[in-house]
Amino acid sequence: MGTTLVAAWFEDRFVNLANVGDSRAYLIHGKSIEQLTVDGDLASGLLAAGTPPEQVRDLGALARALRECIGGCHIS
């Protein structure tokens, strides 16, 4: 098991973001909402690498597996 994290900190007039896992950061301004981070799951990684969405969908629940998390384990 692992956990996910979104962190934000301010420096001068800038906001810095970090995320691990599938927790998301959003910018809400007036009536608009913008997703600022990308999920760290298998599906997001495959889509970013150009895998067709149909192939990602065919993975089913495996597509939601986290690629990165805090406190996860490494199996050798």
Coordinates of all heavy atoms in Angstrom, one line a residue:
M1 N 0.8 -1.2 0.0 CA 0.0 0.0 0.0 C 0.9 1.2 0.0 O 2.0 1.2 0.5 CB -0.9 0.0 1.2 CG -1.9 -1.1 1.3 SD -3.1 -1.1 -0.1 CE -4.0 0.4 0.3
G2 N 0.4 2.3 -0.6 CA 1.1 3.6 -0.6 C 0.0 4.7 -0.5 O -1.2 4.4 -0.4
T3 N 0.5 5.9 -0.5 CA -0.4 7.0 -0.4 C 0.0 8.0 -1.5 O 1.0 7.9 -2.1 CB -0.4 7.6 1.0 OG1 -1.5 8.6 1.1 CG2 0.9 8.3 1.3
T4 N -0.9 8.9 -1.8 CA -0.7 10.0 -2.8 C -0.6 11.3 -2.1 O -1.0 11.5 -0.9 CB -1.8 10.0 -3.8 OG1 -3.0 10.3 -3.2 CG2 -1.9 8.6 -4.5
L5 N -0.1 12.3 -2.8 CA 0.2 13.6 -2.2 C 0.1 14.7 -3.2 O 0.6 14.5 -4.3 CB 1.6 13.6 -1.5 CG 2.1 14.9 -1.1 CD1 1.5 15.3 0.2 CD2 3.6 14.9 -1.0
V6 N -0.5 15.8 -2.8 CA -0.4 17.0 -3.5 C 0.1 18.1 -2.5 O -0.4 18.2 -1.5 CB -1.7 17.5 -4.1 CG1 -1.6 18.9 -4.7 CG2 -2.2 16.5 -5.2
A7 N 1.1 18.8 -2.9 CA 1.7 19.9 -2.1 C 1.8 21.1 -2.9 O 2.1 21.1 -4.1 CB 3.0 19.5 -1.5
A8 N 1.5 22.3 -2.2 CA 1.7 23.6 -2.9 C 2.4 24.5 -1.9 O 2.1 24.4 -0.7 CB 0.3 24.1 -3.3
W9 N 3.3 25.3 -2.4 CA 3.9 26.3 -1.5 C 4.2 27.6 -2.3 O 4.3 27.5 -3.5 CB 5.2 25.8 -0.9 CG 6.3 25.4 -1.9 CD1 7.4 26.2 -2.2 CD2 6.5 24.2 -2.6 NE1 8.2 25.6 -3.1 CE2 7.6 24.3 -3.4 CE3 5.7 23.0 -2.7 CZ2 8.1 23.3 -4.2 CZ3 6.2 22.0 -3.5 CH2 7.3 22.2 -4.2
F10 N 4.1 28.7 -1.6 CA 4.2 30.0 -2.3 C 5.7 30.5 -2.1 O 6.2 30.4 -1.0 CB 3.3 31.0 -1.6 CG 1.8 30.6 -1.9 CD1 1.1 29.8 -1.0 CD2 1.2 31.1 -3.0 CE1 -0.2 29.5 -1.3 CE2 -0.1 30.8 -3.3 CZ -0.8 30.0 -2.4
E11 N 6.2 31.1 -3.1 CA 7.5 31.8 -3.1 C 7.3 33.1 -3.9 O 7.0 33.0 -5.1 CB 8.6 31.0 -3.7 CG 9.0 29.7 -2.9 CD 10.2 29.0 -3.5 OE1 11.1 29.7 -4.0 OE2 10.1 27.8 -3.6
D12 N 7.4 34.2 -3.2 CA 7.2 35.5 -3.8 C 5.8 35.5 -4.4 O 4.8 35.3 -3.7 CB 8.2 35.8 -4.9 CG 9.6 35.9 -4.3 OD1 9.8 36.5 -3.2 OD2 10.6 35.4 -4.9
R13 N 5.6 35.7 -5.7 CA 4.3 35.7 -6.4 C 4.0 34.4 -7.1 O 3.1 34.4 -7.9 CB 4.3 36.9 -7.3 CG 4.4 38.2 -6.6 CD 4.4 39.4 -7.6 NE 3.3 39.1 -8.6 CZ 3.1 39.9 -9.6 NH1 3.9 40.9 -9.9 NH2 2.1 39.6 -10.5
F14 N 4.8 33.4 -6.8 CA 4.6 32.1 -7.5 C 4.1 31.0 -6.6 O 4.5 31.0 -5.4 CB 6.0 31.7 -8.2 CG 6.5 32.7 -9.2 CD1 7.4 33.6 -8.8 CD2 6.0 32.6 -10.5 CE1 7.9 34.6 -9.7 CE2 6.5 33.6 -11.4 CZ 7.4 34.5 -11.0
V15 N 3.4 30.1 -7.2 CA 2.9 28.9 -6.5 C 3.7 27.7 -7.1 O 3.7 27.5 -8.3 CB 1.4 28.7 -6.6 CG1 1.0 27.3 -6.0 CG2 0.7 29.8 -6.0
N16 N 4.3 26.9 -6.3 CA 5.0 25.7 -6.7 C 4.1 24.5 -6.4 O 3.6 24.4 -5.2 CB 6.3 25.5 -6.1 CG 7.2 26.7 -6.4 OD1 7.7 26.7 -7.5 ND2 7.4 27.6 -5.5
L17 N 4.0 23.5 -7.3 CA 3.1 22.3 -7.0 C 4.0 21.1 -7.2 O 4.9 21.0 -8.0 CB 2.0 22.2 -8.0 CG 0.9 23.2 -7.9 CD1 -0.1 23.1 -9.1 CD2 0.1 23.0 -6.6
A18 N 3.6 20.1 -6.4 CA 4.2 18.7 -6.5 C 3.1 17.7 -6.3 O 2.2 18.0 -5.5 CB 5.3 18.5 -5.5
N19 N 3.1 16.7 -7.1 CA 2.1 15.6 -6.8 C 2.7 14.3 -7.1 O 3.6 14.1 -8.0 CB 0.8 15.8 -7.6 CG 0.9 15.4 -9.0 OD1 1.8 15.8 -9.8 ND2 0.0 14.5 -9.4
V20 N 2.3 13.3 -6.3 CA 2.7 11.9 -6.5 C 1.4 11.1 -6.4 O 0.6 11.3 -5.5 CB 3.7 11.5 -5.4 CG1 4.1 10.0 -5.6 CG2 5.0 12.3 -5.5
G21 N 1.2 10.2 -7.3 CA 0.0 9.3 -7.2 C -1.1 9.9 -8.0 O -0.9 10.6 -9.0
D22 N -2.3 9.7 -7.6 CA -3.5 10.1 -8.3 C -4.3 11.2 -7.6 O -5.5 11.4 -7.9 CB -4.4 8.9 -8.7 CG -4.9 8.2 -7.4 OD1 -4.5 8.5 -6.3 OD2 -5.7 7.2 -7.6
S23 N -3.7 11.9 -6.7 CA -4.3 13.1 -6.1 C -4.1 14.2 -7.1 O -3.0 14.3 -7.7 CB -3.7 13.4 -4.7 OG -3.9 12.4 -3.8
R24 N -5.0 15.1 -7.2 CA -4.9 16.2 -8.2 C -5.0 17.6 -7.6 O -5.6 17.8 -6.5 CB -6.1 16.1 -9.2 CG -6.2 14.8 -9.9 CD -7.4 14.8 -10.8 NE -7.4 13.5 -11.6 CZ -8.5 13.2 -12.3 NH1 -9.5 13.9 -12.3 NH2 -8.4 12.0 -12.9
A25 N -4.4 18.5 -8.3 CA -4.4 19.9 -7.9 C -5.2 20.6 -9.0 O -5.1 20.4 -10.2 CB -3.1 20.5 -7.8
Y26 N -6.1 21.5 -8.5 CA -6.9 22.3 -9.4 C -6.8 23.8 -9.1 O -6.6 24.2 -8.0 CB -8.4 22.0 -9.3 CG -8.8 20.6 -9.7 CD1 -8.8 19.5 -8.8 CD2 -9.2 20.3 -11.0 CE1 -9.1 18.2 -9.2 CE2 -9.5 19.0 -11.4 CZ -9.5 18.0 -10.5 OH -9.8 16.7 -10.8
L27 N -6.9 24.6 -10.2 CA -6.9 26.1 -10.0 C -8.4 26.5 -10.2 O -9.0 26.2 -11.3 CB -6.0 26.8 -11.0 CG -6.1 28.3 -11.0 CD1 -5.7 28.9 -9.7 CD2 -5.3 28.8 -12.2
I28 N -9.0 27.1 -9.2 CA -10.4 27.5 -9.3 C -10.3 29.1 -9.3 O -9.8 29.7 -8.3 CB -11.2 27.0 -8.2 CG1 -11.2 25.5 -8.2 CG2 -12.7 27.5 -8.3 CD1 -11.8 24.8 -7.0
H29 N -10.8 29.7 -10.4 CA -10.8 31.1 -10.5 C -12.1 31.5 -11.1 O -12.4 31.2 -12.2 CB -9.7 31.6 -11.4 CG -9.5 33.0 -11.4 ND1 -10.0 33.8 -12.4 CD2 -8.8 33.9 -10.6 CE1 -9.7 35.1 -12.2 NE2 -9.0 35.1 -11.1
G30 N -12.9 32.2 -10.3 CA -14.3 32.6 -10.7 C -15.1 31.4 -11.0 O -15.3 30.6 -10.2
K31 N -15.6 31.3 -12.3 CA -16.4 30.1 -12.6 C -15.6 29.1 -13.4 O -16.2 28.1 -13.9 CB -17.6 30.6 -13.5 CG -18.6 31.5 -12.7 CD -19.8 31.8 -13.5 CE -20.7 32.6 -12.6 NZ -22.0 32.9 -13.3
S32 N -14.3 29.2 -13.5 CA -13.5 28.3 -14.3 C -12.7 27.4 -13.3 O -12.3 27.8 -12.2 CB -12.6 29.0 -15.2 OG -11.6 29.7 -14.5
I33 N -12.5 26.1 -13.8 CA -11.7 25.2 -13.0 C -10.7 24.6 -14.0 O -11.1 24.1 -15.1 CB -12.6 24.1 -12.4 CG1 -13.6 24.6 -11.4 CG2 -11.7 23.0 -11.7 CD1 -14.6 23.6 -10.9
E34 N -9.4 24.5 -13.6 CA -8.4 24.0 -14.5 C -7.6 22.9 -13.7 O -7.1 23.2 -12.6 CB -7.4 25.1 -14.9 CG -6.3 24.6 -15.8 CD -5.4 25.7 -16.2 OE1 -5.6 26.9 -15.8 OE2 -4.4 25.4 -16.8
Q35 N -7.5 21.7 -14.2 CA -6.7 20.7 -13.6 C -5.2 21.0 -13.9 O -4.8 21.2 -15.0 CB -7.0 19.3 -14.2 CG -6.3 18.2 -13.5 CD -6.7 16.8 -14.0 OE1 -7.8 16.6 -14.5 NE2 -5.8 15.9 -13.9
L36 N -4.4 21.1 -12.8 CA -3.0 21.5 -12.9 C -2.0 20.3 -12.9 O -0.9 20.5 -13.4 CB -2.6 22.5 -11.8 CG -3.4 23.8 -11.7 CD1 -3.0 24.6 -10.5 CD2 -3.3 24.6 -13.0
T37 N -2.4 19.2 -12.4 CA -1.5 18.0 -12.3 C -2.1 16.9 -13.0 O -3.3 16.8 -13.3 CB -1.3 17.7 -10.8 OG1 -2.5 17.3 -10.2 CG2 -0.6 18.8 -10.0
V38 N -1.2 15.9 -13.3 CA -1.6 14.7 -14.0 C -1.5 13.5 -13.1 O -0.6 13.4 -12.2 CB -0.6 14.5 -15.2 CG1 -1.0 13.2 -15.9 CG2 -0.7 15.7 -16.1
D39 N -2.4 12.6 -13.1 CA -2.4 11.4 -12.3 C -1.2 10.6 -12.6 O -0.7 10.4 -13.7 CB -3.7 10.5 -12.6 CG -5.0 11.2 -12.1 OD1 -4.9 12.3 -11.4 OD2 -6.0 10.6 -12.3
G40 N -0.7 9.9 -11.5 CA 0.5 9.1 -11.6 C 0.1 7.6 -11.7 O 0.7 6.8 -11.1
D41 N -0.9 7.3 -12.5 CA -1.4 5.9 -12.7 C -1.0 5.4 -14.0 O -0.5 6.1 -14.9 CB -2.9 5.8 -12.5 CG -3.7 6.6 -13.4 OD1 -3.2 7.2 -14.4 OD2 -4.9 6.7 -13.3
L42 N -1.1 4.1 -14.2 CA -0.7 3.5 -15.4 C -1.4 4.1 -16.7 O -0.7 4.3 -17.7 CB -0.9 2.0 -15.3 CG -0.5 1.1 -16.6 CD1 1.0 1.3 -16.8 CD2 -0.9 -0.3 -16.3
A43 N -2.7 4.3 -16.6 CA -3.4 4.8 -17.7 C -2.9 6.2 -18.2 O -2.7 6.4 -19.4 CB -4.9 4.9 -17.4
S44 N -2.6 7.1 -17.3 CA -2.1 8.4 -17.6 C -0.7 8.3 -18.3 O -0.5 9.0 -19.3 CB -2.0 9.3 -16.4 OG -3.3 9.5 -15.9
G45 N 0.1 7.4 -17.8 CA 1.4 7.2 -18.4 C 1.3 6.6 -19.8 O 2.0 7.1 -20.7
L46 N 0.5 5.7 -20.0 CA 0.3 5.1 -21.3 C -0.3 6.1 -22.3 O 0.2 6.1 -23.4 CB -0.6 3.8 -21.2 CG 0.0 2.6 -20.5 CD1 -1.0 1.5 -20.3 CD2 1.2 2.1 -21.3
L47 N -1.3 6.8 -21.9 CA -1.9 7.8 -22.8 C -0.9 8.9 -23.2 O -0.8 9.3 -24.3 CB -3.1 8.5 -22.1 CG -4.3 7.5 -22.0 CD1 -5.4 8.2 -21.1 CD2 -4.9 7.1 -23.3
A48 N 0.0 9.3 -22.2 CA 1.0 10.3 -22.5 C 2.0 9.8 -23.4 O 2.6 10.6 -24.2 CB 1.7 10.8 -21.2
A49 N 2.3 8.5 -23.4 CA 3.2 7.9 -24.3 C 2.7 7.6 -25.7 O 3.4 7.0 -26.6 CB 3.8 6.6 -23.7
G50 N 1.4 7.9 -25.9 CA 0.8 7.7 -27.2 C 0.0 6.4 -27.4 O -0.4 6.1 -28.5
T51 N -0.2 5.6 -26.3 CA -1.0 4.4 -26.4 C -2.5 4.8 -26.8 O -3.0 5.7 -26.2 CB -1.0 3.6 -25.1 OG1 0.3 3.4 -24.8 CG2 -1.8 2.3 -25.2
P52 N -3.1 4.1 -27.7 CA -4.5 4.5 -28.1 C -5.4 4.2 -26.9 O -5.3 3.3 -26.1 CB -4.8 3.4 -29.2 CG -3.5 3.0 -29.8 CD -2.5 3.1 -28.6
P53 N -6.4 5.2 -26.7 CA -7.3 5.1 -25.5 C -8.0 3.7 -25.5 O -8.3 3.2 -24.4 CB -8.3 6.2 -25.8 CG -7.5 7.2 -26.6 CD -6.6 6.4 -27.5
E54 N -8.3 3.1 -26.6 CA -9.0 1.8 -26.6 C -8.2 0.8 -25.9 O -8.7 -0.1 -25.2 CB -9.3 1.4 -28.0 CG -10.2 2.4 -28.8 CD -9.5 3.6 -29.4 OE1 -8.2 3.5 -29.5 OE2 -10.1 4.6 -29.6
Q55 N -6.9 0.8 -26.2 CA -6.0 -0.2 -25.5 C -5.9 0.0 -24.0 O -5.9 -0.9 -23.2 CB -4.6 -0.2 -26.1 CG -4.6 -0.7 -27.5 CD -3.1 -0.7 -28.1 OE1 -2.2 -0.5 -27.4 NE2 -3.0 -1.0 -29.4
V56 N -5.9 1.3 -23.6 CA -5.8 1.6 -22.2 C -7.1 1.2 -21.5 O -7.1 0.6 -20.4 CB -5.6 3.1 -22.0 CG1 -5.6 3.5 -20.5 CG2 -4.2 3.5 -22.6
R57 N -8.2 1.4 -22.2 CA -9.5 1.0 -21.6 C -9.6 -0.5 -21.4 O -10.2 -1.0 -20.4 CB -10.7 1.5 -22.5 CG -12.1 1.2 -22.0 CD -13.2 1.6 -23.0 NE -13.0 0.7 -24.1 CZ -13.0 1.1 -25.4 NH1 -13.0 2.4 -25.7 NH2 -12.8 0.3 -26.4
D58 N -9.0 -1.2 -22.4 CA -9.1 -2.7 -22.3 C -8.3 -3.2 -21.1 O -8.5 -4.4 -20.7 CB -8.5 -3.3 -23.6 CG -9.5 -3.1 -24.8 OD1 -10.6 -2.7 -24.6 OD2 -9.0 -3.2 -25.9
L59 N -7.5 -2.5 -20.5 CA -6.7 -2.9 -19.3 C -7.6 -3.0 -18.0 O -7.3 -3.7 -17.1 CB -5.6 -1.9 -19.0 CG -4.4 -1.9 -19.9 CD1 -3.5 -0.8 -19.6 CD2 -3.8 -3.3 -20.0
G60 N -8.8 -2.4 -18.1 CA -9.7 -2.4 -17.0 C -9.2 -1.8 -15.7 O -8.5 -0.8 -15.8
A61 N -9.3 -2.5 -14.6 CA -8.9 -1.9 -13.3 C -7.4 -1.8 -13.2 O -6.9 -0.9 -12.5 CB -9.4 -2.8 -12.2
L62 N -6.6 -2.5 -14.0 CA -5.2 -2.4 -14.0 C -4.7 -1.0 -14.4 O -3.7 -0.5 -13.9 CB -4.5 -3.5 -14.9 CG -3.0 -3.5 -15.0 CD1 -2.4 -3.7 -13.6 CD2 -2.6 -4.5 -16.0
A63 N -5.5 -0.3 -15.2 CA -5.2 1.0 -15.7 C -5.1 2.0 -14.5 O -4.4 3.0 -14.6 CB -6.2 1.5 -16.7
R64 N -5.8 1.7 -13.4 CA -5.8 2.7 -12.3 C -4.6 2.4 -11.3 O -4.5 3.1 -10.3 CB -7.1 2.6 -11.6 CG -8.3 3.1 -12.4 CD -9.6 3.2 -11.6 NE -10.0 2.0 -10.9 CZ -10.7 1.1 -11.5 NH1 -11.2 1.2 -12.7 NH2 -11.0 0.0 -10.8
A65 N -3.8 1.4 -11.6 CA -2.7 1.1 -10.7 C -1.7 2.3 -10.7 O -1.4 2.8 -11.7 CB -2.0 -0.2 -11.2
L66 N -1.3 2.6 -9.5 CA -0.3 3.7 -9.4 C 1.1 3.4 -9.9 O 1.6 2.3 -9.6 CB -0.3 4.2 -7.9 CG -1.5 4.8 -7.3 CD1 -1.3 5.1 -5.8 CD2 -1.9 6.0 -8.1
R67 N 1.7 4.3 -10.6 CA 3.1 4.1 -11.0 C 4.0 4.6 -10.0 O 5.2 4.3 -9.9 CB 3.3 4.8 -12.3 CG 2.6 4.3 -13.5 CD 2.9 5.1 -14.8 NE 2.4 6.5 -14.7 CZ 3.1 7.6 -14.7 NH1 4.4 7.5 -14.8 NH2 2.5 8.8 -14.6
E68 N 3.6 5.6 -9.2 CA 4.4 6.2 -8.2 C 3.5 6.6 -7.0 O 2.3 6.9 -7.1 CB 5.0 7.5 -8.7 CG 4.1 8.4 -9.5 CD 4.8 9.5 -10.2 OE1 5.9 9.3 -10.8 OE2 4.2 10.6 -10.2
C69 N 4.1 6.4 -5.8 CA 3.3 6.7 -4.6 C 4.3 6.8 -3.4 O 5.5 6.6 -3.6 CB 2.3 5.6 -4.2 SG 3.0 4.0 -3.9
I70 N 3.9 7.3 -2.3 CA 4.7 7.4 -1.1 C 4.5 6.2 -0.2 O 3.4 5.9 0.1 CB 4.3 8.7 -0.4 CG1 4.5 9.9 -1.2 CG2 5.1 8.8 0.9 CD1 4.0 11.2 -0.7
G71 N 5.6 5.6 0.2 CA 5.4 4.4 1.0 C 5.1 3.1 0.3 O 4.8 2.1 1.0
G72 N 5.2 3.1 -1.0 CA 5.0 1.9 -1.7 C 6.2 0.9 -1.6 O 7.2 1.2 -0.9
C73 N 6.0 -0.3 -2.1 CA 7.1 -1.2 -2.0 C 7.7 -1.6 -3.3 O 7.0 -1.4 -4.4 CB 6.6 -2.5 -1.3 SG 5.3 -3.4 -2.2
H74 N 8.9 -2.0 -3.4 CA 9.5 -2.5 -4.6 C 9.7 -4.0 -4.5 O 10.3 -4.5 -3.6 CB 10.9 -1.8 -4.7 CG 11.7 -2.3 -5.9 ND1 11.3 -1.9 -7.2 CD2 12.7 -3.1 -6.0 CE1 12.1 -2.5 -8.0 NE2 13.0 -3.2 -7.4
I75 N 9.2 -4.6 -5.5 CA 9.3 -6.1 -5.5 C 10.4 -6.5 -6.5 O 10.4 -6.1 -7.7 CB 8.0 -6.7 -6.0 CG1 6.9 -6.3 -5.0 CG2 8.1 -8.3 -6.1 CD1 5.5 -6.8 -5.4
S76 N 11.4 -7.2 -6.1 CA 12.5 -7.7 -6.9 C 12.3 -9.1 -7.4 O 11.7 -9.9 -6.9 CB 13.8 -7.6 -6.3 OG 13.9 -6.9 -5.1

